[in-house]
């Protein structure tokens, strides 16, 4: 860790003198932005910033994670739960490369994040110095913006720009790299933080015309079979109530993408289910029967559309989207509406006629009855000896009244949680949707609970995923963050096993796992835990977990070879969904 | 052959952010020219490649997504 440059004298407390180092400027910028939480991990090249942090400890809560990837996912969970920008500190070299997965994840799922990383002194750049890695190049493909600061006087402006870019327009991750000499150096000018509100060549909210708005209204007013496709953008824009107002006024059914889940209560009569590969039968099939699709803050991901050649060819598409590069990228929009979902919905609804689409809704109900009969009833009330994932989610839903914030990892358990948790509150389902990052949930739940301490936060994690970031149990224990963790343990990389089962002739290639007892592991980390194997133990165990004021883990041993249905096989159209 | 005109801020690393978009879309660049201060303080990057107009049109919004990119256009319709 010793750097090649001799360290200048230790920076004194910021109040003790009028001067300010680059490192202090980082801290003062964060305070000026109203940052209250940082997830980070120190190292040689970021030591001056950590030294400055020492003096700001009373203003900013720094959480020492156990791996930098954990910091990024925690920051994502924090950002999504609180609506604020997630902040990460990491050192140069391996510290910064450990951020890559989380950056890519945040870019795909539009999560605002600012990562401050250290770098070797500017004189050593390009010399293969100890812990020098070309992070600006490495990050270019996985960030919304990145910037290297080599001059202490540039810190405040770079930070202000970083926060603006991270949170505006389509949110995303930003990396600010500060060389060690810039951290140590005294500012030549006095510290001055001016928040950025616009940039010369960057449109945070591209405009839409009155004409386009009217065209959208005409389409919707004439529609006989309209369907709303609600995505991530609804929650990001805080447009849940505006969406509901539009849907209720026009009697339009609402289907959600994975990231759109919980933007409308699952019990609402207009809610018709989840779209996509393992979504609900009715909204997927009827996508190909609708005459107008109103897509809001969603990007027609291939997991949603299935085979594009057979996707909604009959429908007129209205696409509300803040990112111009998403328009016509996958599905051609008849009426594109560029901008913030809340602004647009609030202006669109007054132009719409009051209506009810009773017959159209009956079609959803009919198909849904088939799914209920062929899939849901059996899944939720299984006759199997072992517990199943859906019934665990059902009991969790009953005991939390559908009001918990569910943070799901990636795999079968993710789909089961999405399908069977009865969401009643907004902003209640967060998962790694775009990148599909195993290991997301445990650190994200830590971050989410930190960002929304009043919510009951429950992480639903597979046995494979759990072992990717299991070390964050130590962080959860150290900071006493009362997250609840449900490991749905099938001793398999279940989602991969399901594909091998269905599409590779049952040739199970490296998907079976012999796991340690996760409850024992958890207790060793200082977190209370129970192992749950029998059906009669489940309700009591979940109750005990929910009543605990401390973090708590359940290792639930579930059916090893259960498959998730319905399913849209690769290459199939939305109406080619299989019920069994 | 398509030529794209890309106006960018004159900053370190911008060319790399631009070429990453071509790499990602499997576009092999055949000619590349960069001129700083081509339009006031903006740099002009001209990139030619043997690709279809459709692919060129797919690349343009991705280029515009780069924060430092002020504009990106196919050469025929370029004006700023
Ligand atoms: C980092 C990473 N590696 C590999 C994958 C591929 N993958 C997707 S789901 C899955 C299995 C997950 O297993 P587990 O956590 O046990 O969940 P289950 O499907 O059994 O519920 C794998 C390996 C991935 N999404 N992310
Ligand atoms: Mg598993």
């Amino acid at each position: 860790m010793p750097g090649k440059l001799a360290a200048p004298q230790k920076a004194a407390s910021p109040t003790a003198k009028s001067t300010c180092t680059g490192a202090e400027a980082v801290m003062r910028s964060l305070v000026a932005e109203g940052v209250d939480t940082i997830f980070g991990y120190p190292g040689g090249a970021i030591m001056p910033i950590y030294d400055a942090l020492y003096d700001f400890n009373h203003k900013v809560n720094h959480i020492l994670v156990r791996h930098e990837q954990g910091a990024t996912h925690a920051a994502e969970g924090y950002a999504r739960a609180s609506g604020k920008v997630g902040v990460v500190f990491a050192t140069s070299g391996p510290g910064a490369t450990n951020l890559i997965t989380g950056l890519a994840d945040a870019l795909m799922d539009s999560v605002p994040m600012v990562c401050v990383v250290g770098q070797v002194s500017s004189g050593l750049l390009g010399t293969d110095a100890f812990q020098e890695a070309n992070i600006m190049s490495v990050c270019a493909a996985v960030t919304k913006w990145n910037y290297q600061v080599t001059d202490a006087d540039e810190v405040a402006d770079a930070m202000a720009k970083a926060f603006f870019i991270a949170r505006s327009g389509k949110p995303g991750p930003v990396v600010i790299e500060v060389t060690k000499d810039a951290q140590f150096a005294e500012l030549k000018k006095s510290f001055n933080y001016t928040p950025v509100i616009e940039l010369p060549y960057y449109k945070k909210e591209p405009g839409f015309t009155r004409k386009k708005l009217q065209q959208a209204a005409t389409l919707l007013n004439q529609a006989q079979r309209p369907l709303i496709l609600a995505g991530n953008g609804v929650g990001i824009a805080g447009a849940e109530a505006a969406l509901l107002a539009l849907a209720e006024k026009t009697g339009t059914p609402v289907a959600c993408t994975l990231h759109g889940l919980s933007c409308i209560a699952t019990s609402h009569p207009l809610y018709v289910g989840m779209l996509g590969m393992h979504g609900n039968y009715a909204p997927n099939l009827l996508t190909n029967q609708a005459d107008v699709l109103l897509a809001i803050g969603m990007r027609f991901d291939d997991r949603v559309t299935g085979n594009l050649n057979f996707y909604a060819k009959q429908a007129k598409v209205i696409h509300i989207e803040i990112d111009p590069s998403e328009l016509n990228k996958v599905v051609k929009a008849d009426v594109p509406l560029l901008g913030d979902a809340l602004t647009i919905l609030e202006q669109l609804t007054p132009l719409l006629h009051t209506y009810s689409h009773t017959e159209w809704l009956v079609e959803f109900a009919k198909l849904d009855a088939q799914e209920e009969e062929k899939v849901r009833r059996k899944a939720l009330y299984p006759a199997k000896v072992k517990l199943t994932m859906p019934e665990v989610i059902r009991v969790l839903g009953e005991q939390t009244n559908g009001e918990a914030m569910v943070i799901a990892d990636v795999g079968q358990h993710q789909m089961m949680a999405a399908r069977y948790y009865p969401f009643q509150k907004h902003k209640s389902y967060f998962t790694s949707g775009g990148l599909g990052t195993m290991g997301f949930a445990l650190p994200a739940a830590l971050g989410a609970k930190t960002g929304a301490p009043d919510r009951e936060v429950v992480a639903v994690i597979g046995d494979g995923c759990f072992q990717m970031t299991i070390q964050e149990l130590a962080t959860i224990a150290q900071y006493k963050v009362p997250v609840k963790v449900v490991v749905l343990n099938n001793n398999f990389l279940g989602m991969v096993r399901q594909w091998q089962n269905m599409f590779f002739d049952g040739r199970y290639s490296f998907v079976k796992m012999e796991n340690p007892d996760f409850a024992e592991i958890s207790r060793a980390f200082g977190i209370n835990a129970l192992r749950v194997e029998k059906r009669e133990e489940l309700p009591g165990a979940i109750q005990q977990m929910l009543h605990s004021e401390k973090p708590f883990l359940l290792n639930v041993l579930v059916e090893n070879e259960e498959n998730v249905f319905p399913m849209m096989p690769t290459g199939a159209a939305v109406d080619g969904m299989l019920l069994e | 052959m398509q030529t794209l005109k890309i106006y960018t801020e004159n900053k370190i690393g911008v060319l790399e952010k631009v070429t990453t978009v071509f790499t990602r879309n499997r576009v092999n660049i055949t000619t590349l020219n960069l001129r700083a201060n081509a339009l006031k303080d903006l740099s002009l990057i001209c990139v030619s490649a043997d690709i279809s107009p459709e692919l060129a049109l797919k690349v343009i919004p991705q280029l515009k997504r780069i924060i430092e990119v002020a504009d990106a256009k196919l050469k025929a319709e370029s004006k700023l």
Side-chain angles (χ1 to χ4, degrees):
Chain A
M1 203 165 67
K4 291 186 185 174
L5 279 189
Q9 71 282 19
K10 182 184 174 299
S13 139
T15 46
K17 58 186 174 64
S18 59
T19 54
C20 171
T21 65
E24 285 163 18
V26 168
M27 290 314 305
R28 288 168 73 169
S29 300
L30 293 174
V31 171
E33 271 301 332
V35 170
D36 54 22
T37 307
I38 300 167
F39 301 92
Y41 208 94
I46 197 170
M47 286 191 69
I49 291 178
Y50 267 83
D51 188 64
L53 171 64
Y54 192 85
D55 290 320
F56 282 84
N57 225 355
H58 57 292
K59 284 197 177 144
V60 187
N61 175 25
H62 177 278
I63 293 178
L64 177 67
V65 294
R66 296 304 189 265
H67 185 295
E68 289 88 351
Q69 181 186 351
T72 58
H73 297 321
E76 287 187 274
Y78 174 88
R80 293 174 76 171
S82 70
K84 294 192 261 183
V85 178
V87 178
V88 171
F89 279 0
T91 192
S92 67
T97 54
N98 274 348
L99 303 178
I100 303 303
T101 302
L103 291 168
D105 196 87
L107 186 67
M108 284 285 249
D109 286 349
S110 311
V111 186
M113 182 154 96
V114 170
C115 301
V116 177
V117 303
Q119 178 56 291
V120 300
S121 283
S122 55
L124 294 173
L125 287 170
T127 65
D128 297 324
F130 179 63
Q131 295 194 330
E132 182 200 2
N134 181 356
I135 293 304
M136 290 294 97
S137 291
V138 169
C139 286
V142 292
T143 51
K144 188 174 172 188
W145 187 57
N146 60 27
Y147 191 74
Q148 184 181 62
V149 177
T150 53
D151 174 359
D153 281 288
E154 253 197 294
V155 166
D157 287 351
M159 293 292 285
K161 201 168 157 184
F163 275 88
F164 172 72
I165 290 170
R167 76 158 79 84
S168 64
K170 180 177 181 165
V174 172
V175 170
I176 297 294
E177 183 179 73
V178 190
T179 57
K180 202 169 177 181
D181 52 335
Q183 298 174 43
F184 274 128
E186 298 275 347
L187 271 65
K188 291 187 258 331
K189 296 176 256 167
S190 60
F191 176 81
N192 173 28
Y193 191 85
T194 315
V196 171
I197 48 167
E198 59 178 2
L199 290 174
Y201 308 113
Y202 172 85
K203 286 205 175 69
K204 64 175 179 179
E205 242 185 74
F208 58 94
T209 59
R210 192 77 204 158
K211 190 169 153 216
K212 285 271 179 275
L213 200 68
Q214 192 55 59
Q215 281 173 0
T218 307
L219 274 182
L220 284 167
N221 284 335
Q222 289 168 353
Q224 294 304 308
R225 304 156 79 84
L227 176 61
I228 292 172
L229 314 177
N232 201 5
V234 175
I236 293 173
E240 292 95 342
L243 166 76
L244 194 64
L246 184 146
E248 286 181 343
K249 183 174 183 188
T250 56
T252 307
V254 181
C256 290
T257 68
L258 188 67
H259 280 320
L261 285 177
S262 83
C263 75
I264 175 169
T266 52
S267 56
H268 194 283
L270 288 172
Y271 179 64
V272 292
M274 177 168 81
L275 296 160
M277 183 173 275
H278 289 296
N280 294 106
Y281 197 50
N284 276 308
L285 260 65
L286 293 178
T287 296
N288 274 1
Q289 302 284 323
D291 57 2
V292 175
L293 293 178
L294 174 58
I296 310 171
M298 57 84 74
R299 56 184 174 84
F300 296 102
D301 183 89
D302 53 286
R303 283 292 186 271
V304 164
T305 63
N307 190 330
L308 269 177
N309 297 324
F310 306 100
Y311 182 77
K313 294 296 175 198
Q314 79 297 335
K316 294 268 188 244
V317 175
I318 304 166
H319 194 179
I320 299 178
E321 170 59 53
I322 199 156
D323 178 0
S325 70
E326 290 297 347
L327 280 185
N328 302 324
K329 183 181 82 177
V330 179
V331 170
K332 192 169 162 7
D334 296 279
V335 182
L337 287 171
L338 267 175
D340 175 73
L342 177 61
T343 316
I344 295 174
L345 289 176
E346 280 179 348
Q347 296 188 32
L348 183 57
T349 305
L351 307 179
L352 301 178
H353 301 159
T354 305
Y355 213 86
S356 59
H357 294 281
T358 323
E359 284 170 33
W360 175 225
L361 280 166
V362 169
E363 291 188 42
F364 284 91
K366 276 191 199 149
L367 290 171
D368 197 57
Q370 288 183 35
E371 183 183 331
E372 172 72 27
E373 150 101 37
K374 289 228 165 82
V375 183
R376 281 208 299 268
R377 194 173 308 150
K378 283 186 261 186
L380 291 168
Y381 299 92
K384 300 203 160 96
V385 178
K386 280 188 126 173
L387 286 164
T388 66
M389 292 192 192
E391 73 173 320
V392 178
I393 301 296
R394 171 177 61 79
V395 176
L396 180 69
E398 287 163 1
Q399 294 203 16
T400 51
N401 300 317
E403 291 178 353
M405 182 183 281
V406 177
I407 315 291
D409 228 305
V410 175
Q412 293 186 310
H413 61 282
Q414 170 192 40
M415 292 300 136
M416 295 302 199
R419 287 181 50 77
Y420 296 114
Y421 192 81
F423 300 100
Q424 297 308 309
K425 279 190 163 176
H426 300 156
K427 301 191 176 24
S428 292
Y429 183 79
F430 297 128
T431 190
S432 168
L435 199 65
T437 307
M438 287 175 67
F440 169 85
L442 189 67
L446 152 73
K449 183 70 187 175
T450 313
D454 297 337
R455 296 288 305 268
E456 178 78 75
V457 175
V458 182
V460 175
I461 309 183
D463 47 323
C465 293
F466 189 47
Q467 294 176 85
M468 288 232 168
T469 48
I470 194 167
Q471 67 277 9
E472 300 309 338
L473 285 177
T475 317
I476 290 168
Q478 179 173 346
Y479 294 93
K480 302 182 175 56
V481 184
V483 292
K484 309 299 161 63
V485 179
V486 178
V487 180
L488 294 177
N489 185 352
N490 56 9
N491 286 96
F492 266 112
L493 299 172
M495 189 55 97
V496 181
R497 186 205 53 74
Q498 173 167 353
W499 282 59
Q500 291 176 347
N501 172 267
M502 292 177 68
F503 310 118
F504 291 87
D505 299 326
R507 288 150 56 92
Y508 286 179
S509 184
F510 300 97
V511 286
K512 179 134 191 57
M513 282 186 302
E514 279 171 31
N515 295 319
D517 183 332
F518 296 128
E520 294 273 9
I521 297 255
S522 179
R523 284 191 285 268
F525 274 101
I527 294 173
N528 289 334
L530 290 174
R531 175 187 160 101
V532 185
E533 224 176 328
K534 299 203 185 76
R535 185 154 287 125
E536 56 274 18
E537 295 167 350
L538 181 68
I542 290 187
Q543 191 177 35
Q544 194 179 338
M545 171 184 81
L546 293 172
H547 282 178
S548 167
E549 283 172 9
K550 296 180 183 161
F552 203 101
L553 180 141
L554 296 182
N555 177 22
V556 189
L557 303 182
V558 295
E559 188 67 38
N560 302 88
E561 301 196 31
E562 188 184 18
N563 285 351
V564 189
F565 280 106
M567 175 170 193
M568 207 193 297
T570 336
V574 270
D575 50 11
M577 208 174 193
L578 306 175
L579 272 179
E580 48 199 345
Chain B
M1 177 69 66
Q2 304 292 324
T3 299
L4 289 105
K5 295 180 91 172
I6 307 152
Y7 292 91
T8 75
E9 289 181 53
N10 184 10
K11 298 256 171 74
I12 292 170
V14 175
L15 179 62
E16 180 170 23
K17 292 180 186 181
V18 166
T19 54
T20 292
V21 173
F22 289 91
T23 310
R24 183 181 174 197
N25 286 280
R26 284 193 64 79
V27 176
N28 184 31
I29 295 171
T30 50
T31 311
L32 188 145
N33 182 286
L34 185 152
R35 197 149 49 87
N37 309 322
L39 190 91
K40 295 185 194 136
D41 52 351
L42 291 179
S43 301
L44 171 60
I45 304 175
C46 283
V47 176
S48 301
D50 210 357
I51 54 168
S52 66
E54 291 74 35
L55 185 50
L57 290 174
K58 181 181 162 212
V59 164
I60 285 173
Q62 296 177 32
L63 290 166
K64 287 187 181 171
R65 209 146 61 165
I66 299 168
I67 300 294
E68 292 90 347
V69 168
D71 202 7
K73 288 184 170 170
L74 274 178
K75 193 172 181 189
E77 47 150 343
S78 319
K79 57 171 186 283
L80 190 119

